[in-house]
Each structure stands twice: as C-alpha cells, then as structure tokens.
C-alpha cells in the first residue's frame, strides 16, 4: 500500500513512519528538513518542501498516487497563535483538496488534540461535545469538520485521532517530562507550580502503532482517542523520574511542598472505543515508558 505521511520528521511523525515502514508499506514522507542519505530504505521516498508551497510538491504527490494519507504536519508548535493556527488550517485544507481531486487516495488519518474537549475534569469520550477555547483548538476542530464533510461526499474513509499528552524519544525539550529528566539528572529543583495537576500521558510508540494499525484495517470513519486511559499527577511523574535516576524522592517532595495544593485539572481519555476498534493489545505503563525514555537519552547523572 502507498502511504503519504506529512510531518514525518516531527516527534510523533518519526515513530509513525517507523511503524508504517515496518509493516512493509511504500512511503512518501514530506518534511521541511533534508533527510536523504545513502542508507535510505528503498520503500521510503522523501518529499522535501513546505506545504505552504503546495504547487512545488504536486508533481511528486501525483506520481506517488497514495492510497492513504497520514496527516501529522502542524508547523510552529508551541506557537498556538491565531496566525499560525490559520496558516496550518489553510495549508491542510489545500493539501487535502488537491489529493482528493488528483489521486486515488481512499483513506485519511489525521492527528487531532485532546484539547478539543476543553475539559479539566473526568473522562473524555469521543461523543462528548467539543469546547473551543483557543485558536489552536478552533483550527483543529474546523479541520475535522471540513474533512468529515468532504470525505463523506467523496466516499473516503476518515479517522480523526485525538492525541493526549504524548511523550517519549524525540520529544521537544521544553515539554514536561524532558524538563523533569534534565533538572533531576543534575539534582536541580524543577519549577513546577501545579504538582497535583493530572493529565493522561501516553507513550509515543503506542500512538504510532495505532496509526499504523489504522492503515491496515477497515476502521469506521470517526473520532478516536489515543491516550493511556488514566490520569497521572505531575508529582507522581516527578517521583518516577527521580526514583529511576537517583533512587530517591527528595526532589519530588520539594516539588510537592513548594507547589500549589489545589487540584483543578484531572482528565483522561476514555479508550473503550479505540481499544475495541483497533484491537489494541497493550498500552505501555507510565513507569515503563518513562524508564525506556530515560534509557534512550543515555542520561549521565551529576554527582
């Protein structure tokens, strides 16, 4: 099968591409970076360029003629401003319209966000109403609506994956878990204002496997959550990291003592629909995932 992956060199994209590649599919990978090298696998074809300059990419896309698109590209993160959100929305719509009108693509898989729910408490179900409270969530939800209408009109399968707090190798250094690892490895106190906030943290390989599985099966069109199914506090994540690196909880206790006590965030993904539809065999436990991530970073702990 021919699979076109946008955002293929991003945090999630690299893992998704590895899983799709392992399944033996032919891949066209778009990127802003030059990833070509002499050891490049024969079934990965690089498409170097900016989606904002779609015209320059069109001949290669037509020549490849994808069966499936995995759309992960979203430029500018962590800039969630109106201007960046609007650019990403327009680029995504233009790309989609071109592909639908000029290729044989019959399936679209897109990365959404748990922020679309706008919830601070409780389980998030795909049937819950969205709560648009930022330009980023407005752009994501608008894209979902547009794709839903257009795919139904063109008889194209469309799956929208609402990804929760994904972590793992390749994650942006300013994110929570890399920040905790960096601080604790040098025995410094990380600046955490809300240690009791709880979010749903999901290992990036689990997300990648879900996308790869969706390529291979006839997944009914619709929204699917990609999370772990439970919420964990920042304090408990800090404890896992410190226990792994220093076999201690001294820094974690300081984080707890200096942070705000009020718990105002505690939400997680209801994974019932996703597990049933994708037949997910297992979700990496947080402790195991963090330990694997730390090993991949080859951290040297300060004395």
């Amino acid at each position: 099968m021919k699979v076109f992956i946008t955002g293929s060199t991003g945090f999630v994209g690299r893992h998704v591409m590895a899983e799709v590649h392992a399944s033996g599919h032919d891949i066209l990978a778009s990127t802003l970076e030059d990833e070509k090298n002499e050891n490049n696998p024969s079934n990965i074809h690089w498409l170097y360029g900016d989606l904002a300059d779609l015209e320059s990419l069109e001949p290669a896309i037509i020549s490849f003629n994808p069966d499936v698109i995995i759309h992960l590209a979203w430029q500018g993160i962590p800039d969630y401003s109106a201007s960046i959100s609007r650019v990403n929305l327009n680029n995504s719509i233009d790309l989609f319209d071109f592909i639908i009108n000029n290729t044989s693509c019959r399936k679209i898989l897109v990365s959404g966000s748990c922020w679309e729910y706008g919830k601070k408490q409780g389980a998030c179900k795909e049937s819950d109403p969205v709560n648009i409270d930022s330009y980023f969530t407005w752009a994501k939800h608008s894209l979902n609506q547009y794709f839903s209408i257009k795919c139904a009109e063109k008889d194209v399968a469309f799956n929208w994956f609402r990804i929760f707090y994904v972590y793992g190798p390749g994650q942006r250094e300013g994110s929570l878990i890399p920040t905790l690892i960096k601080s604790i490895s040098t025995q410094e106190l990380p600046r955490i204002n809300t240690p009791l906030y709880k979010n749903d943290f999901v290992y990036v390989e689990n997300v990648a496997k879900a996308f790869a599985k969706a390529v291979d099966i006839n997944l009914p069109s619709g929204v699917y959550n990609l999370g772990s199914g439970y919420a964990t506090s920042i304090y408990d994540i800090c404890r896992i990291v410190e226990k792994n690196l220093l076999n201690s909880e001294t820094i974690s206790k300081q984080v707890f003592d200096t942070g705000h006590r009020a718990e105002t965030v505690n939400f997680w993904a209801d994974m019932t629909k996703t597990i049933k539809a994708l037949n997910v065999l297992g979700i990496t436990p947080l402790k195991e995932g963090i330990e694997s991530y730390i090993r991949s970073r080859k951290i040297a702990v300060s004395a």
Side-chain angles (χ1 to χ4, degrees):
M1 196 177 299
K2 293 183 176 182
V3 183
F4 177 32
I5 305 176
T6 72
S8 59
T9 55
F11 167 39
V12 174
R14 288 181 182 273
H15 293 270
V16 170
M17 188 165 69
E19 290 293 336
V20 174
H21 171 253
S23 297
H25 298 297
D26 204 16
I27 297 171
L28 178 65
S30 78
T31 177
L32 289 170
E33 306 168 20
D34 189 352
E35 292 285 332
K36 297 176 182 178
N37 61 72
E38 59 183 17
N39 297 318
N40 190 60
S42 60
N43 64 332
I44 295 180
H45 316 277
W46 290 102
L47 179 58
Y48 176 71
D50 193 335
L51 294 182
D53 183 22
L54 181 58
E55 187 174 350
S56 68
L57 308 179
E58 289 175 356
I61 296 173
I62 290 175
S63 177
F64 184 72
N65 194 23
D67 302 300
V68 179
I69 305 171
I70 300 178
H71 183 42
L72 306 170
W74 199 268
Q75 297 180 26
I77 290 175
D79 183 345
Y80 300 109
S81 65
S83 58
I84 290 294
S85 297
R86 189 166 57 246
V87 164
N88 278 289
L89 173 61
N90 292 336
N91 287 349
S92 298
I93 289 175
D94 289 344
L95 173 67
F96 174 77
D97 283 347
F98 170 76
I99 288 176
I100 286 297
N101 293 328
N102 294 278
T103 74
S104 302
C105 178
R106 307 313 301 166
K107 181 185 289 188
I108 312 287
L109 311 176
V110 185
S111 58
S113 169
C114 65
W115 291 354
E116 295 169 64
Y117 290 113
K119 295 183 77 168
K120 291 186 176 182
Q121 296 286 333
C124 298
K125 298 182 179 181
E126 291 89 346
S127 57
D128 290 345
V130 296
N131 180 19
I132 304 305
D133 58 4
S134 70
Y135 292 112
F136 173 72
T137 54
W138 161 79
K140 282 289 188 180
H141 184 58
S142 297
L143 187 61
N144 181 10
Q145 289 183 308
Y146 184 84
F147 279 11
S148 295
I149 295 170
K150 202 75 172 180
C151 283
E153 180 183 293
K154 298 291 186 178
D155 194 27
V156 173
F158 169 52
N159 302 124
W160 182 268
F161 292 103
R162 287 191 179 137
I163 304 175
F164 282 67
Y165 284 68
V166 61
Y167 70 96
Q171 186 174 16
R172 183 174 56 85
E173 284 301 307
S175 300
L176 174 65
I177 294 178
T179 297
L180 289 175
I181 293 172
K182 182 177 180 180
S183 296
I184 292 173
S185 66
T186 56
Q187 300 189 43
E188 296 179 1
L189 180 66
R191 297 182 62 181
I192 303 296
N193 294 324
T194 54
L196 296 184
Y197 274 24
K198 294 183 178 182
N199 299 113
D200 187 329
F201 295 88
V202 58
Y203 196 50
V204 66
E205 287 186 1
N206 298 148
V207 172
K209 288 180 184 297
F211 272 96
K213 184 73 175 288
V215 169
D216 292 328
I217 67 174
N218 293 320
L219 186 65
S221 293
V223 176
Y224 294 86
N225 286 335
L226 290 182
S228 68
Y230 58 92
T232 304
S233 71
I234 296 173
Y235 167 62
D236 282 331
I237 290 175
C238 191
R239 291 174 62 213
I240 293 171
V241 171
E242 186 180 5
K243 194 71 175 177
N244 185 276
L245 290 173
L246 305 176
N247 194 27
S248 169
E249 293 189 8
T250 303
I251 294 175
S252 301
K253 187 177 185 304
Q254 288 180 271
V255 166
F256 181 85
D257 289 341
T258 57
H260 300 306
R261 294 291 173 273
E263 179 187 297
T264 59
V265 173
N266 180 11
F267 69 92
W268 61 92
D270 183 317
M271 289 292 290
T272 306
K273 178 180 177 181
T274 302
I275 290 172
K276 181 178 180 180
L278 288 175
N279 190 26
V280 176
L281 298 179
I283 296 172
T284 304
L286 186 60
K287 183 175 181 291
E288 180 182 321
I290 291 176
E291 289 173 351
S292 177
Y293 181 25
I294 289 174
R295 286 196 300 272
S296 75
R297 292 171 64 97
K298 299 178 181 178
I299 298 294
V301 179
S302 299

